[in-house]
Amino acid sequence: MVITKNDVLKVVDKIVEVIKENKEYLTELDAAIGDADHGINLDRGFDAVKQKLTTLPETTDIGTILKTLGMTLVSTVGGASGPLYGTAFMRAGQVVQGKNELYEEDIVKIFEAALDGIKQRGKAEAGDKTMIDSIEPAYKALKDSLENNIALPEALNRAANAAKEGMEYTKNISARKGRASYLGERSIGHLDPGATSAYLMIKSFSDVVNLS
Amino acid sequence: MVGIVLVSHSRKIVEGIYELASQMTGGKVPIGVAGGTQDGRLGTDATEIMEEIKKVDDGEGVVVLVDIGSAVMSAQMAIELLGEEYEGKVKIADAPLVEGAIAASVEASIGSGFDKVLLVAEEAKKLNKL
């Protein structure tokens, strides 16, 4: 299956929309264990992304689109999710530089580069109650599914389900990174806002591919 | 002269420290400030930090002082974005922001080199107040 540049732009639009819809929810989650700005920050960032992408020439390749997206988040989000998601999208852009179409192996590379970038930037691992807890299981589910010849839409659907389970798991563990780590065990019982926004983005990707 | 860049989530914090450090050094040391987002929220912006580093660098190196959380990540990202040209010449001090900024500025004002300014900034975390 081929993912075109137009599909990528549709995914970005979907993410912008879903983050806006969940702005208050993400901020509420962050108010419980952080600094109550995750939803507001991401929404500002993705609004800026939407603006910025309209200024790119029609001939812009997918790699450049993703890198521009990442750089825009870095300069507009404000909180830790700026450099984290910014790095993720910039690294993802690097591995598909110059491409106008993506295939299964490119999608795996994108997830891998994004995950590695976030781990490196945040010096975090699975189980620290961060966005990694949804992205890592999603990456593994996607890779396993495609290796077993499952079609991309279903593989992305499985990735989104794995991300959801990973997100839900963050409720049971205590935070070891970010402001929530000041709360230690008192962070148990709350979903991690970063894991939640990461799930929403992966779900958006899956939804767009499954509906097209 | 070694340059200093101050990074906080709050514009007011870095402007206040800038005022304090400039007073102590007679305005001799180039000090950059990066704080808050472009639309006035609390937060840090890696591209702003990068621009401030460029602004205060005269070739002797730049010591960056940060507050908490995303300030560290944004500063690391800014250094990466600067690329090879700045490699090894810009470092984040593992130091408290206010005390480190004052110690580093004073040290830079007497003409000390990059390594010494960084060291003095980091020693500020051992400072006893009582």
Side-chain angles (χ1 to χ4, degrees):
Chain A
M1 183 184 181
V2 58
I3 300 286
T4 63
K5 198 167 85 179
N6 200 31
D7 294 330
V8 171
L9 291 172
K10 273 194 216 158
V11 172
V12 177
D13 278 347
K14 181 76 182 170
I15 293 175
V16 172
E17 184 192 315
V18 167
I19 293 296
K20 192 165 286 300
E21 276 167 16
N22 288 277
K23 181 170 101 171
E24 305 298 333
Y25 174 58
L26 291 171
T27 295
E28 272 167 37
L29 291 177
D30 198 22
I33 57 169
D35 48 2
D37 62 7
H38 190 57
I40 297 161
N41 283 349
L42 273 188
D43 182 51
R44 293 286 172 102
F46 277 100
D47 269 348
V49 164
K50 203 175 170 184
Q51 285 295 116
K52 183 76 187 176
L53 292 187
T54 61
T55 68
L56 292 179
E58 288 243 342
T59 51
T60 309
D61 67 277
I62 295 172
T64 307
I65 290 172
L66 295 176
K67 282 203 255 176
T68 308
L69 193 167
M71 201 60 207
T72 307
L73 292 180
V74 163
S75 60
T76 56
V77 167
S81 51
L84 289 167
Y85 284 131
T87 302
F89 283 102
M90 285 162 77
R91 297 280 173 87
Q94 274 167 17
V95 295
V96 294
Q97 189 59 45
K99 296 197 176 187
N100 288 305
E101 286 179 340
L102 305 178
Y103 294 90
E104 282 79 357
E105 62 271 23
D106 297 314
I107 309 297
V108 173
K109 277 192 212 157
I110 280 181
F111 267 78
E112 190 173 27
L115 176 62
D116 286 350
I118 288 175
K119 281 184 167 179
Q120 211 182 342
R121 177 71 58 216
K123 297 188 178 70
E125 288 297 329
D128 286 344
K129 196 180 179 103
T130 71
M131 48 181 77
I132 294 167
D133 290 313
S134 19
I135 303 170
E136 190 162 274
Y139 162 67
K140 285 182 178 162
L142 178 82
K143 195 165 179 268
D144 281 357
S145 305
L146 292 174
E147 277 169 5
N148 288 302
N149 296 318
I150 289 162
L152 185 60
E154 176 54 20
L156 280 168
N157 185 34
R158 291 183 186 191
N161 288 336
K164 188 168 191 223
E165 275 175 35
M167 169 193 82
E168 281 161 357
Y169 167 69
T170 64
K171 204 166 186 171
N172 308 324
I173 54 177
S174 63
R176 287 201 288 256
K177 290 282 165 185
R179 298 262 184 113
S181 64
Y182 294 132
L183 291 171
E185 294 205 339
R186 279 171 294 159
S187 65
I188 296 176
H190 300 280
L191 281 180
D192 178 63
T196 309
S197 58
Y199 157 69
L200 292 172
M201 290 186 207
I202 295 165
K203 173 92 168 93
S204 300
F205 188 7
S206 169
D207 284 352
V208 169
V209 172
N210 276 288
L211 288 173
S212 67
Chain B
M1 191 173 282
V2 174
I4 313 284
V5 170
L6 311 174
V7 181
S8 168
H9 283 63
S10 158
R11 184 99 211 147
K12 288 179 186 163
I13 287 181
V14 279
E15 282 174 351
I17 301 170
Y18 173 85
E19 220 179 346
L20 204 54
S22 297
Q23 186 198 42
M24 292 188 67
T25 57
K28 275 191 293 184
V29 181
I31 303 174
V33 295
T37 61
Q38 286 166 32
D39 56 357
R41 287 169 294 132
L42 293 173
T44 57
D45 171 354
T47 53
E48 186 190 23
I49 301 168
M50 176 180 74
E51 291 307 323
E52 292 299 307
I53 292 170
K54 282 189 195 163
K55 212 166 76 185
V56 301
D57 177 52
D58 66 0
E60 299 268 315
V62 178
V63 173
V64 183
L65 287 122
V66 298
D67 62 0
I68 52 170
S70 70
V72 182
M73 261 189 263
S74 291
Q76 286 167 337
M77 186 139 202
I79 294 170
E80 266 179 43
L81 292 171
L82 284 163
E84 282 177 12
E85 197 193 327
Y86 286 82
E87 212 174 292
K89 284 168 55 185
V90 184
K91 283 188 179 158
I92 303 168
D94 185 8
L97 177 56
V98 181
E99 288 83 351
I102 291 167
S105 309
V106 171
E107 195 62 34
S109 76
I110 57 174
S112 297
F114 177 69
D115 291 340
K116 177 77 178 170
V117 173
L118 182 68
L119 182 76
V120 168
E122 295 193 339
E123 277 176 351
K125 70 182 162 194
K126 297 182 207 149
L127 193 83
N128 292 320
K129 293 193 185 175
L130 292 172

